[in-house]
Amino acid sequence: MAFSDRQNTFKRSAPERVLGIIGYPLEHTLSPAMHNAAFAVSGLDWVYAAFRVPPGSASAAVEAMRVLGLGGLSVTIPHKEEVLSALDVLEPEAQAIGAVNTVFWTPDRDQLVGANTDVEGFEKGLKTALGINLEGRSVVIIGAGGSARAVLWAAVTRGARHITVLARTPSRASRMVRRICESAFAMLPSRTPPPIEICSMDGSLIEEALSNADLMVNATPLGSDGTSLPVPESAIHDRLYVFDLVYFPSKTPLVQAGIRRGAGAAGGLEMLILQGARQFEIWTGRPAPVSAMKRAAEESLRASLQIRTSTAEIDRLE
C-alpha cells in the first residue's frame, strides 16, 4: 500500500473528535460506555475515553486538552474543585458552586468553559429514582467535596426547609456552606437560604441529624468498595428517603441498608445518566439519546459486577 493510501485509510478510521473523563480512580466508570453509545446512535464519529489522572494533576490534564485538541472533558473525583483555576470561563452555576464536572470549548474554540451538570442530574435523578423533589424537605448531605457542593446548591436553591451537612472535616464543610449561601444570595436575592447545620461524623450526632430528616444524600465515595456504610444502619428509619450518589455496585451497602430499614432507597445510576445527557447536549448541541445512554450504562454496570464477582471467587479459591 502506498504511503498516501495508508494516510487516507488512517483519516477515514480516526474519530472526528476525542473526548473523555478525568478522575482517580476510574476502574468502574460507566461514562465511556454511556457516551460512546450516545455518539453511535446519533451518527457522530466521536470517541470518549477514560483518562486516569492522579490527584494534583487536574491542571495538567486541562493543559493536555488544549494541546491535544480534545473535544471535551467530564471531571470526577477528586478534580471537580481543583480544575476551576485551569479554565478560562466558568458558567454562573459552576462559579457559584465552586465545582466543575464538564469542560467544553467556546464556539471559536479559543477558550475552555467549566460547567456543572451534577445539579440538573441530581434533581432529575432524585425525581426519577425516588419520585420526590427537594422543596420542603429536611435534607442530610454526607460529604463536602465537589458532588456535595452540587447537592447543597440544589437543596438551597430548590426550597429545602432545613439542611445538615455531615463531614469528616467540618472546617471544609463550613467553607462550602459559606460559598454556596453567599452565591445563592447574590444570584437569587429573593430566596432566603434555609437553616444549615454542620456536624462531624460522630455517631450520636449522625443519629440525631437523621432522626429529623426525610432525605439523606451520600455524596462521598463510601460504599463503592461494596462493604462500607457512611452512617450506622441503626440511624436509618422508615420515614427517610436514601439517595446514594455511588452507583457501583448497583445496590450499594447504603441502599441495601435503607431497604432493610424500610426507607425508600436508590443508587446514583439515574443521576449519572441524566447529568451525562446534559453533557452530551453541551458538547454536541443535539438532544441526548437518554434511552441508549441508560441501556449502555446498565450493560456496562452488569459487566463490571460480573468481573468483580469472578475476581472475588478466584481470590476465595486461592
Side-chain angles (χ1 to χ4, degrees):
M1 182 185 292
F3 175 74
S4 59
D5 292 334
R6 290 198 301 270
Q7 229 179 3
N8 290 334
T9 299
F10 175 74
K11 286 178 180 177
R12 287 195 297 272
S13 62
E16 177 185 330
R17 193 165 295 183
V18 177
L19 302 89
I21 180 170
I22 60 170
Y24 190 93
L26 282 178
E27 281 78 4
H28 303 303
T29 180
L30 307 181
S31 293
M34 182 173 69
H35 282 296
N36 284 323
F39 297 151
V41 300
S42 301
L44 292 169
D45 186 20
W46 293 15
V47 67
Y48 183 105
F51 301 112
R52 194 164 174 264
V53 175
S57 300
S59 295
V62 171
E63 187 58 29
M65 178 179 174
R66 297 182 194 273
V67 174
L68 298 173
L70 301 182
L73 285 177
S74 302
V75 183
T76 190
I77 294 171
H79 302 311
K80 291 183 179 184
E81 297 166 71
E82 182 192 343
V83 79
L84 270 73
S85 61
L87 302 171
D88 303 307
V89 183
L90 297 177
E91 288 195 339
E93 198 163 60
Q95 174 71 56
I97 295 167
V100 160
N101 80 324
T102 308
V103 181
F104 64 98
W105 291 98
T106 52
D108 53 11
R109 291 182 69 84
D110 70 337
Q111 288 188 307
L112 288 177
V113 184
N116 193 303
T117 67
D118 279 338
V119 176
E120 182 174 327
F122 169 67
E123 190 174 15
K124 289 183 176 179
L126 191 64
K127 184 69 175 178
T128 303
L130 291 172
I132 63 172
N133 55 32
L134 290 160
E135 188 171 0
R137 298 205 172 272
S138 176
V139 184
V140 171
I141 301 169
I142 305 170
S147 296
R149 286 172 173 267
V151 174
L152 179 60
W153 175 262
V156 167
T157 59
R158 271 63 163 181
R161 76 173 188 274
H162 185 276
I163 301 169
T164 302
V165 178
L166 299 176
R168 288 181 301 178
T169 310
S171 59
R172 185 182 184 193
S174 296
R175 291 192 295 272
M176 175 183 76
V177 168
R178 188 180 308 113
R179 176 167 185 158
I180 295 294
C181 289
E182 289 174 354
S183 298
F185 181 77
M187 294 177 66
L188 303 165
S190 62
R191 184 182 287 276
T192 302
I196 302 176
E197 296 182 56
I198 298 169
C199 297
S200 64
M201 297 296 288
D202 177 86
S204 60
L205 296 176
I206 291 172
E207 295 269 358
E208 183 179 350
L210 287 176
S211 68
N212 298 313
D214 50 28
L215 172 62
M216 174 177 65
V217 182
N218 176 34
T220 77
L222 287 172
S224 58
D225 60 357
T227 59
S228 302
L229 277 173
V231 299
E233 183 170 334
S234 60
I236 301 171
H237 52 79
D238 60 7
R239 304 182 312 281
L240 190 68
Y241 286 99
V242 175
F243 196 40
D244 192 348
L245 303 194
V246 176
Y247 57 80
F248 183 93
S250 51
K251 282 190 177 179
T252 65
L254 181 60
V255 169
Q256 293 180 53
I259 293 170
R260 285 194 296 268
R261 300 287 291 180
L269 186 61
E270 291 291 346
M271 175 178 169
L272 173 77
I273 294 163
L274 292 167
Q275 67 79 28
R278 180 65 189 129
Q279 291 180 324
F280 178 92
E281 292 167 356
I282 289 171
W283 291 326
T284 68
R286 301 185 184 192
V290 178
S291 296
M293 297 175 78
K294 181 174 183 177
R295 186 164 53 251
E298 289 173 341
E299 289 173 356
S300 181
L301 180 58
R302 280 195 294 271
S304 295
L305 290 170
Q306 287 172 356
I307 291 170
R308 171 182 274 190
T309 301
S310 300
T311 302
E313 181 64 17
I314 291 169
D315 291 343
R316 186 185 67 80
L317 293 173
E318 290 178 348

